[in-house]
Amino acid sequence: MNIILLSTILGFLALSQAAPSDPPIRWCLKSDAELRKCSDLTAKAPKLACVKRDSSEECIKAIKDGEADAITLDGGDIYQAGLINYDLHPIIAEDYGQDSDTCYYAVAVVKKGTEFKFSELKGKKSCHTGLGKSAGWNIPIGTLLSRGRIEWTGPESSPVEEAVMSYFSASCVPGAPKGSKLCQLCKGDCSRSHKEPYYDYDGAFQCLKDGAGEVAFVKHLTVPAVDKASYELLCLDDTRKSIDSYKTCHLARVPAHAVVSRKDPDLAARIFELLKPLQDAGLFSSEGYPAKNLIFKDSTKKLVQLPATTDSFLYLGAQYMSTIRSLKKETSTDSASRAIKWCAVGHAETQKCDAWSINSMDDTTSSVRVECQNGKTVDECLSKIMRKEADAMAIDGGQVYSAGRCGLVPAMVEKYTSQCCESDVCPAGGKCCRTSSSTQHLETWRCMIIIAVILLYLSEDPSYYAVAVVHADSKLTWSTLRGKKSCHTGLGRTAGWNVPMGLLHQDTGECDFSKFFSQSCAPGADPKSKLCALCVGSGKGVGSEEAKCKASTEELYYGYSGAFRCLVEGGGDVAFIKHTIVEEHTGGKGPAWAKSLKKSDYRLICPSHPAESLEISQFAKCHLAKVPAHAVVTRPESRAEVVTVLKEQQAKFGTLTPNAPFKMFESAGGKDLLFKDSTKCLKEISDTKSYREFLGAAYLSTMDTLRQCDSSMSDLEKACTFHTCQQSV
């Protein structure tokens, strides 16, 4: 009896000392109708509390200040919420089901029989979901601006709203200045709330249906089934199609609405757990309320958690961010002084970039300059480029693949032969004739003959061979790799990871490559894993351990030179590198640690000769793959400026200027800093060529195969590819 009594007392003591239960989740509502729906939901979810504010912006402020916890926003508002003064993050996305998933189509809806085309919208009356909203404002106005339909010189001369007023004869744009032409067609107070009957998707369609407007900019699921036969979509090619033809007739495909909150993983998890049971309990229905799309869109089928690393910029994607910037004219530059921000990874690259920046500014004859930004990893730099905190960097093919999936574009490619690095006379088939005093005025037919000779004897595509190098006396072959020690340039890089691991995955079906090799150095992997066991860090004592296995030059075994060094002195049995590396590091060439190395001490192994090894010079016969060269990536809207600046910079600091005070393609404090040291010049990539076309079908096949392994995809790529609407093809 005493034991039972003691247990009871201890139980009460434990309960009294337990941490208090989690506070309720405070949802921010923008209208009385939303507040009423939220209040009804609290009966089913006691942990839900309702907070009323007058607008999305007021809710964003309330969440930032800790007065509320969450709200569902559209893309335009997600952009606003993600700015540095608020720093809110999307945590949960609406999913609209098959064919839409976590994206939707922005469309232009018109009545049948009205006959005008998309290019003939000037002077028409327009209905919009709201100022700054995706389908109703950002996409249509951004599209009209980019196509030159709406003329606007920038915010310095006038707000974009004034340009829109000059384009349409009258509009309803809830949230626009009251009393302006943008509110002329509105039925209520023109506020961005349900107090305005023509607000949001259904309101904009009602504006069209009532005859107030002639075109409504909405999402593809807006028009009710009963009305579809009476309406059509305006297509960008000036045709019209049925309402259900939105896949081939739309303005853009944009990210779904998402729940945003403060950056707090525990809070994000609690919000999702709160919403899960409500998904089948009226969360996506506004039936019985005086408005539609309350709290969530009525077309939502389910909610999907976003990767923990997702922020507003990664969620919206580079293409949508480009549209936002076109509305703000953020791409305009001061013609008197143009600059691009180059992103450097690690201390050594930052030092070289600083030297580049100083020399670019010392040139008083040029208005172009280079500024420097830095990141701890390539992925951090790519994120900064997406955010416009940086503009460009040169990366390898595997990283181009990831960047492309995040919406960035390849702008220039490294060329490893001097052919075509001088001025081009006449391009044909992607090749060129080099300018010289004797060929400068050749007729086209003579130039074509020279091109044919180049194609036969001299031409080399901007590419290189990925090879596997072993010690000559090791007897190791491709067939006996399992259980050996491996050296890689870096996780996710082409020659050092994607190609060899893709081949091994095809052979074995395994995704956990730490089980295939006994030990490795694969910079960028988990420092505690076997994939980092051979890595050594910076080799500088204090701080060396912190640098161990980092995907930057702070790790001595990072990159091509580092992976070869891992083979030479780090106990590695095989190094996956570029075909020129052994040649560049032997016979007295290369850095101090490589001065005594001989090429004959190393050999190649490959799947085409699985039971033998070949001499280093036989890379064309024994390699893992021929892969695309490194390329400069940037945002789509910055491509032209980056190309212009780089062309001018390499004219001053490239290989064709031997006495230049700075060398773009040489590395004094390391190896392959900013660009590959073997680069002869940068050549422009056509602005019509996507990242997939640049990489080529063979390499894409390897990458797509490797992506069957979840571990092969970086957190950045996972965040970018969560939904498909912002991926380039």
Side-chain angles (χ1 to χ4, degrees):
M1 186 71 176
N2 289 336
I3 294 174
I4 296 173
L5 180 61
L6 180 61
S7 298
T8 304
I9 293 170
L10 290 173
F12 278 119
L13 285 173
L15 287 172
S16 66
Q17 294 175 3
S21 60
D22 292 325
I25 300 297
R26 298 162 297 174
W27 209 274
C28 198
L29 300 316
K30 300 173 292 182
S31 67
D32 291 335
E34 282 197 335
L35 180 62
R36 180 180 149 196
K37 179 178 177 179
C38 179
S39 298
D40 291 344
L41 287 171
T42 59
K44 304 170 186 176
K47 285 290 185 181
L48 174 66
C50 308
V51 175
K52 171 78 162 41
R53 293 292 186 272
D54 292 332
S55 65
S56 295
E57 186 174 1
E58 289 300 315
C59 278
I60 291 169
K61 290 177 180 176
I63 296 170
K64 186 250 183 184
D65 294 337
E67 298 168 0
D69 298 312
I71 185 176
T72 309
L73 298 175
D74 110 309
D77 291 326
I78 291 171
Y79 167 81
Q80 186 76 17
L83 295 176
I84 195 167
N85 49 324
Y86 300 121
D87 196 28
L88 303 187
H89 292 241
I91 57 172
I92 301 165
E94 294 181 342
D95 188 314
Y96 307 118
Q98 191 175 6
D99 297 336
S100 301
D101 53 64
T102 55
C103 309
Y104 63 89
Y105 295 89
V107 296
V109 179
V110 293
K111 286 184 178 178
K112 272 189 178 178
T114 48
E115 295 185 355
F116 59 85
K117 307 169 185 175
F118 184 82
S119 63
E120 298 171 340
L121 283 175
K122 185 175 177 63
K124 299 296 185 291
K125 293 180 288 185
S126 60
C127 305
H128 306 256
T129 58
L131 188 70
K133 292 177 75 70
S134 293
W137 182 263
N138 293 342
I139 295 301
I141 303 307
T143 301
L144 290 166
L145 283 168
S146 65
R147 289 174 169 249
R149 300 295 178 189
I150 296 179
E151 296 179 2
W152 184 49
T153 57
E156 299 83 6
S157 57
S158 64
V160 68
E161 290 85 347
E162 287 190 18
V164 176
M165 281 189 273
S166 298
Y167 185 76
F168 294 112
S169 61
S171 303
C172 177
V173 185
K178 293 178 174 60
S180 72
K181 280 177 64 178
L182 296 181
C183 287
Q184 187 174 327
L185 302 182
C186 291
K187 201 172 183 179
D189 63 357
C190 196
S191 66
R192 236 184 66 154
S193 74
H194 290 104
K195 289 185 286 186
E196 168 53 60
Y198 290 164
Y199 168 66
D200 208 7
Y201 300 114
D202 292 281
F205 176 66
Q206 193 64 46
C207 166
L208 173 67
K209 190 173 182 179
D210 289 348
E214 297 168 274
V215 59
F217 298 109
V218 292
K219 70 184 288 187
H220 70 288
L221 297 172
T222 301
V223 180
V226 68
D227 292 319
K228 286 182 179 180
S230 302
Y231 295 87
E232 292 178 311
L233 301 177
L234 290 184
C235 309
L236 292 175
D237 64 0
D238 272 351
T239 61
R240 287 188 177 206
K241 289 189 177 180
S242 68
I243 294 297
D244 288 329
S245 298
Y246 52 81
K247 285 186 182 179
T248 56
C249 181
H250 56 263
L251 308 185
R253 197 166 183 233
V254 296
H257 293 212
V259 177
V260 302
S261 185
R262 295 179 296 280
K263 189 176 182 180
D264 181 339
D266 292 335
L267 177 59
R270 288 200 296 119
I271 292 171
F272 188 69
E273 289 303 313
L274 171 79
L275 296 175
K276 267 201 306 189
L278 294 176
Q279 294 183 69
D280 297 320
L283 190 64
F284 309 137
S285 173
S286 300
E287 189 175 349
Y289 298 99
K292 294 184 178 180
N293 301 315
L294 300 176
I295 306 179
F296 290 93
K297 297 297 141 233
D298 295 344
S299 54
T300 306
K301 301 301 181 186
K302 63 179 179 179
L303 298 177
V304 184
Q305 274 184 298
L306 297 173
T309 53
T310 305
D311 61 20
S312 60
F313 296 88
L314 294 178
Y315 181 74
L316 295 173
Q319 296 292 340
Y320 187 88
M321 294 299 296
S322 178
T323 300
I324 292 279
R325 293 183 184 113
S326 72
L327 288 169
K328 299 177 179 296
K329 282 289 183 186
E330 290 183 8
T331 57
S332 61
T333 57
D334 181 0
S335 59
S337 178
R338 304 200 320 273
I340 61 169
K341 292 180 181 177
W342 199 265
C343 199
V345 178
H347 178 68
E349 283 204 343
T350 300
Q351 281 188 314
K352 180 178 177 180
C353 189
D354 288 341
W356 185 10
S357 178
I358 291 168
N359 279 279
S360 73
M361 287 187 282
D362 283 348
D363 184 0
T364 57
T365 64
S366 173
S367 61
V368 172
R369 69 180 188 274
V370 174
E371 297 174 356
C372 298
Q373 181 61 267
N374 62 71
K376 295 177 182 177
T377 64
V378 169
D379 278 2
E380 186 175 318
C381 273
L382 293 178
S383 294
K384 289 189 174 188
I385 293 171
M386 293 178 69
R387 291 177 175 82
K388 213 185 176 187
E389 295 170 10
D391 296 313
M393 71 183 306
I395 52 179
D396 103 317
Q399 294 157 340
V400 171
Y401 181 87
S402 294
R405 299 190 83 191
C406 288
L408 301 181
V409 296
M412 300 193 83
V413 62
E414 292 180 348
K415 197 93 166 63
Y416 306 124
T417 61
S418 57
Q419 179 201 329
C420 293
C421 280
E422 297 179 39
S423 301
D424 297 345
V425 175
C426 55
K431 307 301 176 184
C432 60
C433 296
R434 291 176 58 182
T435 302
S436 68
S437 58
S438 60
T439 63
Q440 202 161 18
H441 302 292
L442 287 176
E443 295 97 336
T444 301
W445 69 270
R446 292 186 65 197
C447 185
M448 293 300 290
I449 292 173
I450 292 176
I451 290 169
V453 173
I454 289 173
L455 286 171
L456 286 172
Y457 300 109
L458 300 174
S459 174
E460 182 177 320
D461 292 331
S463 57
Y464 61 93
Y465 293 97
V467 297
V469 178
V470 299
H471 296 281
D473 59 359
S474 70
K475 309 298 184 191
L476 185 61
T477 68
W478 186 261
S479 300
T480 59
L481 270 180
R482 184 181 287 275
K484 299 301 186 289
K485 299 176 182 179
S486 59
C487 302
H488 307 261
T489 58
L491 203 69
R493 293 188 56 167
T494 298
W497 185 265
N498 295 336
V499 169
M501 298 304 101
L503 290 171
L504 292 176
H505 175 65
Q506 288 175 357
D507 291 343
T508 66
E510 292 181 5
C511 284
D512 186 353
F513 299 112
S514 66
K515 293 180 179 178
F516 186 89
F517 295 109
S518 61
Q519 288 183 317
S520 305
C521 179
D526 181 354
K528 299 185 181 69
S529 74
K530 288 198 299 180
L531 290 174
C532 290
L534 297 183
C535 295
V536 293
S538 65
K540 296 179 180 177
V542 178
S544 180
E545 196 63 26
E546 290 182 12
K548 183 175 180 177
C549 211
K550 286 184 67 174
S552 76
T553 52
E554 293 176 58
E555 164 58 60
L556 291 180
Y557 292 167
Y558 172 72
Y560 297 120
S561 182
F564 184 51
R565 186 174 183 177
C566 166
L567 175 70
V568 171
E569 62 180 31
D573 298 311
V574 60
F576 299 108
I577 52 179
K578 178 181 173 180
H579 73 282
T580 62
I581 298 304
V582 175
E583 181 72 40
E584 292 169 4
H585 288 73
T586 54
K589 300 187 289 292
W593 61 265
K595 290 299 182 183
S596 62
L597 301 181
K598 294 185 292 185
K599 185 167 66 172
S600 59
D601 289 337
Y602 303 95
R603 292 178 69 83
L604 301 175
I605 61 172
C606 54
S608 60
H609 296 75
E612 60 179 325
S613 62
L614 278 69
E615 292 182 2
I616 292 296
S617 59
Q618 293 186 280
F619 56 83
K621 184 179 179 182
C622 182
H623 57 263
L624 309 185
K626 192 175 183 182
V627 295
H630 292 211
V632 175
V633 296
T634 186
R635 297 178 302 278
E637 76 274 14
S638 301
R639 183 198 163 280
E641 182 71 2
V642 167
V643 169
T644 298
V645 170
L646 286 177
K647 282 182 176 179
E648 183 171 328
Q649 289 295 293
Q650 74 174 351
K652 291 178 169 60
F653 305 123
T655 56
L656 299 179
T657 310
N659 298 319
F662 171 76
K663 301 290 187 182
M664 284 176 65
F665 309 130
E666 291 182 14
S667 303
K671 189 75 175 170
D672 297 327
L673 302 177
L674 304 184
F675 303 96
K676 296 299 130 215
D677 293 345
S678 55
T679 304
K680 302 302 180 186
C681 67
L682 301 173
K683 298 299 291 184
E684 182 178 356
I685 299 170
S686 169
D687 60 359
T688 62
K689 182 172 283 191
S690 70
Y691 80 96
R692 295 185 70 87
E693 291 171 317
F694 168 74
L695 293 174
Y699 185 64
L700 283 174
S701 177
T702 299
M703 292 299 295
D704 293 341
T705 297
L706 198 57
R707 285 306 180 268
Q708 295 173 21
C709 299
D710 185 67
S711 60
S712 72
M713 196 185 307
S714 68
D715 289 341
L716 173 70
E717 193 177 327
K718 288 176 183 176
C720 289
T721 57
F722 171 79
H723 49 204
T724 58
C725 40
Q726 291 300 324
Q727 293 181 46
S728 302
V729 294

